[in-house]
RNA sequence: GCCCUCGUAGCUCAGUGGAUAGAGCGUCUGCCUCCGGAGCAGGAAGUCACAGGUUCGAAUCCUGUCGAGGGCACCA
C-alpha cells in the first residue's frame, strides 16, 4: 500500500481538541451513523416510516463483508413500504461520505456493510494510549453494587482443582465487572457449621488418638486424606497427649477449632498465591448465633420474614417453605422436626443478609454438584422480594491429564492432586489462564504437561510472548540493550513514543487489521460482563496476540531510514502493549517484559 | 422415573435469529543476511447427533427421539 505524501498529523485533527474522556466505543459511533442516516432520510421525505426502529448493528462473520453490518433496511422495509435493497441503497448513499467510512455497500437481501476508514481506526490508537489500563472501561454497571460469591469451599480439607478453577472464574468475572463499571465485592462463604465440621473433628481426633498409641476405630464416614494425619500430628507435637484423656466432646470441640483455623489459613494462602483476595469471609456460624437484643438468630428472623409474607407452613413437626409457589419442584424443609435448621435455611438467611447489605445484584459461582440447588435458591430469593437480582453460575469440574493420561483421584482414599500441588507445578499464570479458556459450564480437561510447556502450543506463552516481543522492540527503539534487565519499558515508553507520530502513515493491511482488533476490546468487555463469560477474554487475548505477530512479520517497526514511519509504528506497537497488558490483567495473568 | 447441562473438523472447543459455520492442536507444504522462530504463510479436513416445527432467514428458538454428564434428602 502506498503511503500518500499529504497525510495529516493526527494531533491536528479535530477529535484531538477535546480533553481526555472515555470516548464511546466504535460501535456506538457506527450505530449513530446508521441512526442519523435513517432519521435524515425520513426528514428528507425519501422514506416514510411511522417510527424509526431501533438500529441493530453487528460484526459480519466474514471479514470480507466489512467491519460492521446492519439489517435495519430489512427490518424496516415492510413498515416503509419499500423493498429492503431499495431502502438500503438510500441509507448507504447517506453515509458513504462520512470521514469514518471507507466503503459502504448493500449486499444480499438488504444488509448494509460498512468498512471503517483508516482515519477512524488510527484514532483508536490514540484512545488506547490515552486511556492506558482503563482502555475498554465501559459504564454498563453504572456504579451499581454487585457481590460475587465464589469458591466457598467447606473448611474441612485442602482446595481441590475444581475450587481453583472457580477461584479463577470468580476473580476474573469480578475484574471484568469492575472494568464494565460495576462496584464489585468478592466474598467467600464458609460453611463452618454442621455435620461436615463434626466429621472433620472426629477424623482429626481419631488420628490424634492413634498417634497417642490409643486403640481407636476410625469413623466410618471420616476423612481419610493424609492432611488429616498432618493436622493431628501438629496438634500432637504442640500440645502433647493431654487431649487423649479429655472427654470426647471436649476433645472434638478443641480439635474442630484448631483444624478449622489451619484449613482457613491454607485457603487464604493458596488463593493469595494465585492473586485472589476476598473482601469478605462470611461465616455460616454467625447466622446461627442468637442476637442479644432479640434472642433470635438471623435464620429465625428470616423464617419469620417469610412467614409474614405467607410462604411458610408447618407439617409433621417441621417448618416448610412453600417454594413450589416460585416454580421449585417441591416444597423444602427449613426447620427439621428435631428443631435444627437445614443448610438451605441458613443459605436463605445468608442471601437475605446479602441484599440487606445493599447489593443491587448477587452472583454465586457454585460447583456443578450444586446445580440441583439453583431452583430452590432462586425461589427463596424471589420470596424475599429480590427476584431478578440473583445469578447463579455453575462452574464445571476439572479433569486432570498429564500428557494425555488421566490423573486418577479418589476422595475416599485421600489419593489426590490438590490445587496447591497444581499451582506449585504449573504456576499461577498457566493455571489461571487454562481455567478460563473454556466456557464456565463446560467441563475442562487440564493437561499439566501442556500447561508447563514453553512453546506455541501453550496459549498462555503465545500471548505473553507477544507482550514480551513488543517490549523487546520498544527496548531496541529506546536504544537499550535488548537483554538489559534494568530497563522498565512500560515506564519509559511514554517518553520516547512520540505523541505527534504521523499515524496517517498506518494504512497497510496488517496495520489496519491490528487497529481493528484493538477497537474490538470494549465490545469484548461488554459481552464478557453481560454474559458472565470470562473465557471471552482468553479468546480475545489469543486473537490480539496473533494479529500482532502477523503485523510483526510483515511490518518492520524500527527502521532508521524511515523515522516517520518508525514513529507511527512505535505508537501502534505501544498501544498494542497497553491493550495486551490490560486484557491479561483482567484474566489475572502477568504481562512479562522478558521471558 | 423426574429435573438440569451438553452433542459443531481426527482431538479440544468458539459461535445465545443473519450472508459460503470458525479457531487452536494434530496432519501435509513452505518461510530465518532482518526489531525475540516461544514466530509467520498456505493446503486437506463438516449431514452443526437425528426428526419435525416456528419465519423472509435456525448450529442458535419450540417439540420429540437417541447419546453423554450431573442433580434428585427433615444431608451439607
Amino acid at each position: 500500500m502506498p503511503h500518500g505524501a499529504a497525510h495529516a498529523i493526527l494531533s491536528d485533527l479535530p477529535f484531538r481538541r477535546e480533553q481526555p474522556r472515555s470516548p464511546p466505543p466504535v460501535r456506538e459511533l457506527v450505530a449513530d451513523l446508521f441512526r442519523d442516516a435513517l432519521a435524515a432520510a425520513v426528514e428528507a421525505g425519501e422514506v416514510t416510516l411511522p417510527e424509526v426502529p431501533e438500529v441493530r448493528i453487528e460484526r459480519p462473520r466474514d471479514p470480507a463483508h466489512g467491519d460492521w453490518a446492519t439489517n435495519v433496511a430489512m427490518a424496516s422495509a415492510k413498515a416503509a413500504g419499500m423493498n429492503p435493497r431499495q431502502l438500503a441503497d438510500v441509507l448507504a448513499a447517506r453515509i458513504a461520505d462520512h470521514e469514518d467510512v471507507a466503503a459502504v455497500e448493500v449486499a444480499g437481501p438488504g444488509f448494509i456493510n460498512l468498512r471503517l476508514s483508516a482515519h477512524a481506526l488510527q484514532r483508536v490508537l490514540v484512545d488506547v494510549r490515552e486511556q492506558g489500563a482503563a482502555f475498554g472501561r465501559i459504564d454498563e454497571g453504572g456504579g451499581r453494587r454487585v457481590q460475587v460469591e465464589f469458591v466457598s469451599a467447606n473448611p474441612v480439607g485442602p482446595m481441590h482443582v475444581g475450587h481453583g478453577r472457580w477461584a479463577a472464574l470468580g476473580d476474573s468475572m469480578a475484574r471484568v465487572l469492575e472494568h464494565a463499571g460495576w462496584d464489585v465485592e468478592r466474598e467467600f462463604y464458609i460453611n463452618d457449621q454442621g455435620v461436615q465440621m463434626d466429621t472433620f473433628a472426629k477424623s482429626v481426633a481419631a488420628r490424634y488418638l492413634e498417634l497417642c498409641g490409643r486403640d481407636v476405630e476410625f469413623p466410618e464416614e471420616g476423612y481419610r486424606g493424609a492432611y488429616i494425619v498432618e493436622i493431628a500430628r501438629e496438634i500432637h507435637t504442640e500440645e502433647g497427649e493431654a487431649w487423649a484423656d479429655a472427654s470426647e466432646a471436649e476433645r472434638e470441640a478443641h480439635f474442630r477449632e484448631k483444624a478449622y483455623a489451619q484449613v482457613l489459613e491454607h485457603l487464604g494462602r493458596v488463593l493469595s498465591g494465585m492473586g485472589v483476595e476476598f473482601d469478605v469471609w462470611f461465616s455460616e456460624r454467625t447466622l446461627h448465633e442468637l442476637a442479644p437484643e432479640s434472642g433470635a438468630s438471623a435464620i429465625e428472623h428470616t423464617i419469620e420474614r417469610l412467614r409474614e409474607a405467607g410462604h411458610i407452613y408447618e407439617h409433621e413437626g417441621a417448618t416448610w417453605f412453600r417454594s413450589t409457589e416460585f416454580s421449585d419442584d417441591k416444597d423444602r424443609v427449613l426447620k427439621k422436626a428435631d428443631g435444627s435448621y437445614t443448610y438451605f435455611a441458613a443459605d436463605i438467611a445468608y442471601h437475605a443478609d446479602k441484599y440487606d447489605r445493599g447489593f443491587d445484584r448477587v452472583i454465586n459461582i457454585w460447583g456443578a454438584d450444586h446445580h440441583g440447588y439453583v431452583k430452590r435458591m432462586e425461589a427463596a430469593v424471589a420470596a424475599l422480594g429480590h427476584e431478578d437480582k440473583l445469578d447463579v453460575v455453575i462452574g464445571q469440574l476439572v479433569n486432570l491429564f498429564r500428557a494425555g493420561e488421566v490423573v486418577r483421584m479418589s476422595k475416599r482414599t485421600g489419593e489426590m492432586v490438590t490445587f496447591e500441588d497444581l499451582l506449585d507445578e504449573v504456576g499461577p499464570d498457566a493455571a489461571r489462564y487454562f481455567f478460563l479458556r473454556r466456557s464456565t459450564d463446560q467441563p475442562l480437561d487440564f493437561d499439566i504437561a501442556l500447561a508447563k510447556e514453553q512453546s506455541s502450543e501453550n496459549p498462555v506463552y503465545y500471548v505473553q510472548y507477544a507482550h514480551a516481543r513488543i517490549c523487546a522492540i520498544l527496548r531496541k527503539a529506546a536504544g537499550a540493550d535488548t537483554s538489559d534487565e534494568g530497563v522498565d519499558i512500560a515506564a519509559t515508553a511514554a517518553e520516547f513514543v512520540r505523541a505527534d507520530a504521523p499515524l496517517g502513515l498506518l494504512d497497510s493491511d496488517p496495520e489496519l487489521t491490528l487497529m481493528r482488533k484493538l477497537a474490538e476490546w470494549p465490545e469484548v468487555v461488554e459481552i464478557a460482563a453481560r454474559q458472565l463469560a470470562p473465557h471471552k477474554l482468553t479468546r480475545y487475548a489469543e486473537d490480539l496476540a496473533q494479529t500482532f505477530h502477523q503485523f510483526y512479520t510483515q511490518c518492520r517497526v524500527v527502521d532508521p531510514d524511515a523515522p516517520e514511519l518508525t514513529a507511527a509504528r512505535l505508537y501502534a506497537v505501544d498501544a498494542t502493549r497497553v491493550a495486551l497488558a490490560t486484557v491479561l490483567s483482567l484474566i489475572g495473568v502477568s504481562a512479562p517484559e522478558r521471558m
Side-chain angles (χ1 to χ4, degrees):
Chain A
M1 279 236 182
H3 294 125
H7 285 285
I9 298 223
L10 206 54
S11 55
D12 292 337
L13 295 178
F15 61 81
R16 286 278 298 193
R17 282 201 305 267
E18 293 172 39
Q19 276 317 298
R21 87 229 117 102
S22 213
V26 178
R27 195 187 48 186
E28 292 303 314
L29 300 175
V30 173
D32 283 344
L33 267 179
F34 284 119
R35 228 187 318 269
D36 294 348
L38 187 57
V42 169
E43 188 133 327
E46 295 171 29
V47 176
T48 312
L49 262 184
E51 64 183 279
V52 178
E54 194 191 341
V55 175
R56 289 180 175 266
I57 63 161
E58 61 191 22
R59 291 203 176 260
R61 219 180 268 170
D62 183 348
H65 292 135
D67 296 319
W68 295 100
T70 180
N71 64 349
V72 66
M74 284 138 81
S76 38
K78 206 171 204 175
M82 300 169 74
N83 87 47
R85 287 202 59 116
Q86 231 178 350
L87 179 52
D89 283 333
V90 169
L91 299 179
R94 285 194 167 270
I95 60 176
D97 294 332
H98 194 279
E99 67 168 350
D100 286 347
V101 176
V104 57
E105 59 173 20
V106 175
F111 289 105
I112 307 173
N113 294 332
L114 178 152
R115 189 172 295 285
L116 291 171
S117 67
H119 171 271
L121 292 168
Q122 288 151 9
R123 196 172 49 201
V124 172
L125 297 177
V126 181
D127 290 346
V128 179
R129 294 242 322 155
E130 285 185 350
Q131 294 176 65
F135 174 54
R137 211 172 254 285
I138 57 173
D139 195 33
E140 198 206 58
R144 283 174 293 168
R145 294 183 65 208
V146 58
Q147 183 209 57
V148 185
E149 181 219 317
F150 57 107
V151 185
S152 297
N154 292 324
V156 297
M159 282 180 72
H160 60 64
V161 177
H163 290 131
R165 182 183 187 192
W166 307 332
L169 280 173
D171 188 55
S172 231
M173 215 175 268
R175 292 175 189 225
V176 170
L177 288 167
E178 278 163 354
H179 216 66
W182 290 83
D183 181 4
V184 183
E185 219 170 284
R186 296 163 174 79
E187 183 151 318
F188 190 117
Y189 181 53
I190 317 166
N191 296 127
D192 51 7
Q193 175 100 14
V195 281
Q196 298 206 30
M197 288 297 285
D198 294 337
T199 307
F200 184 39
K202 285 187 194 340
S203 306
V204 177
R207 293 303 188 205
Y208 172 83
L209 291 174
E210 283 173 8
L211 289 171
C212 297
R214 305 296 171 102
D215 191 21
V216 284
E217 197 169 322
F218 195 77
E220 198 170 325
E221 297 298 316
Y223 302 136
R224 292 171 189 279
Y227 69 97
I228 297 283
V229 181
E230 280 167 36
I231 295 172
R233 182 169 295 127
E234 199 154 315
I235 298 175
H236 185 260
T237 309
E238 280 178 18
E239 306 183 20
E241 305 201 344
W243 291 101
D245 296 315
S247 78
E248 190 176 314
E250 270 183 308
R251 180 167 58 239
E252 281 173 16
H254 177 71
F255 283 21
R256 180 188 289 111
E257 298 316 304
K258 287 293 273 194
Y260 172 31
Q262 279 205 29
V263 173
L264 264 196
E265 196 272 334
H266 159 89
L267 294 173
R269 181 166 39 79
V270 174
L271 287 164
S272 220
M274 72 181 293
V276 176
E277 304 288 348
F278 287 89
D279 300 298
V280 175
W281 293 73
F282 192 101
S283 158
E284 182 189 348
R285 287 181 186 176
T286 60
L287 299 168
H288 295 263
E289 285 165 5
L290 305 182
E293 321 86 63
S294 60
S297 67
I299 296 176
E300 283 158 358
H301 276 302
T302 305
I303 293 178
E304 281 322 299
R305 202 161 135 190
L306 290 173
R307 194 189 303 278
E308 278 161 29
H311 303 309
I312 298 292
Y313 64 93
E314 308 291 328
H315 178 65
E316 290 181 350
T319 302
W320 294 71
F321 166 45
R322 198 176 286 109
S323 57
T324 46
E325 263 183 27
F326 300 92
S327 65
D328 191 10
D329 302 334
K330 43 185 129 178
D331 291 344
R332 308 290 173 176
V333 170
L334 299 185
K335 187 176 189 177
K336 300 180 230 173
D338 69 4
S340 63
Y341 296 101
T342 58
Y343 174 85
F344 184 43
D347 222 359
I348 297 176
Y350 175 44
H351 281 75
D353 185 85
K354 293 185 183 198
Y355 293 108
D356 287 348
R357 280 186 269 159
F359 290 109
D360 299 299
R361 182 182 182 193
V362 161
I363 297 170
N364 296 343
I365 299 179
W366 286 352
D369 50 339
H370 281 68
H371 92 256
Y373 197 77
V374 175
K375 258 188 191 169
R376 78 188 72 163
M377 199 65 244
E378 286 172 346
V381 166
L384 288 167
H386 300 293
E387 211 164 352
D388 298 328
K389 291 206 269 179
L390 174 69
D391 287 288
V392 181
V393 175
I394 294 302
Q396 282 290 348
L397 298 166
V398 177
N399 304 308
L400 280 186
F401 289 79
R402 201 181 284 278
E405 292 291 311
V406 182
V407 178
R408 299 260 167 225
M409 288 193 274
S410 156
K411 187 159 195 174
R412 199 185 52 75
T413 61
E415 172 202 342
M416 64 184 297
V417 178
T418 66
F419 177 53
E420 193 174 20
D421 297 336
L422 182 71
L423 217 44
D424 285 345
E425 189 166 356
V426 307
D429 280 354
R432 287 188 75 139
Y433 195 94
F434 274 68
F435 283 149
L436 292 190
R437 269 192 103 214
R438 297 281 167 257
S439 57
T440 315
D441 54 5
Q442 210 61 243
L444 173 72
D445 290 339
F446 191 114
D447 195 314
I448 297 173
L450 175 61
K452 288 166 72 176
E453 200 165 316
Q454 307 205 350
S455 78
S456 60
E457 288 172 39
N458 186 344
V460 62
Y461 278 96
Y462 181 82
V463 174
Q464 289 182 318
Y465 178 68
H467 186 269
R469 194 178 225 186
I470 288 172
C471 292
I473 296 171
L474 293 173
R475 277 195 298 273
K476 182 180 177 78
D481 180 345
T482 321
S483 58
D484 186 351
E485 299 272 323
V487 180
D488 178 353
I489 255 345
T492 56
E495 292 168 23
F496 67 88
V497 175
R498 280 168 49 194
D500 66 344
L503 302 186
L505 296 177
L506 304 175
D507 62 0
S508 70
D509 276 346
E511 291 162 331
L512 294 174
T513 304
L514 179 60
M515 295 185 281
R516 275 194 190 95
K517 189 52 75 177
L518 290 169
E520 277 179 33
W521 171 239
E523 298 154 45
V524 174
V525 173
E526 184 185 332
I527 291 171
R530 214 171 43 214
Q531 299 183 3
L532 302 177
H535 74 274
K536 307 269 181 195
L537 301 177
T538 53
R539 198 166 191 83
Y540 177 76
E542 285 161 49
D543 272 0
L544 180 55
Q546 173 169 301
T547 307
F548 171 74
H549 287 308
Q550 290 164 345
F551 159 85
Y552 173 90
T553 325
Q554 295 173 74
C555 298
R556 173 87 197 176
V557 178
V558 181
D559 180 359
D561 296 332
E564 291 304 288
L565 184 58
T566 296
R569 284 181 171 167
L570 277 176
Y571 197 103
V573 162
D574 193 50
T576 308
R577 175 186 66 78
V578 169
L580 263 177
T582 303
V583 178
L584 285 171
S585 79
L586 296 199
I587 295 171
V589 166
S590 68
E593 294 194 359
R594 298 172 193 78
M595 295 172 69

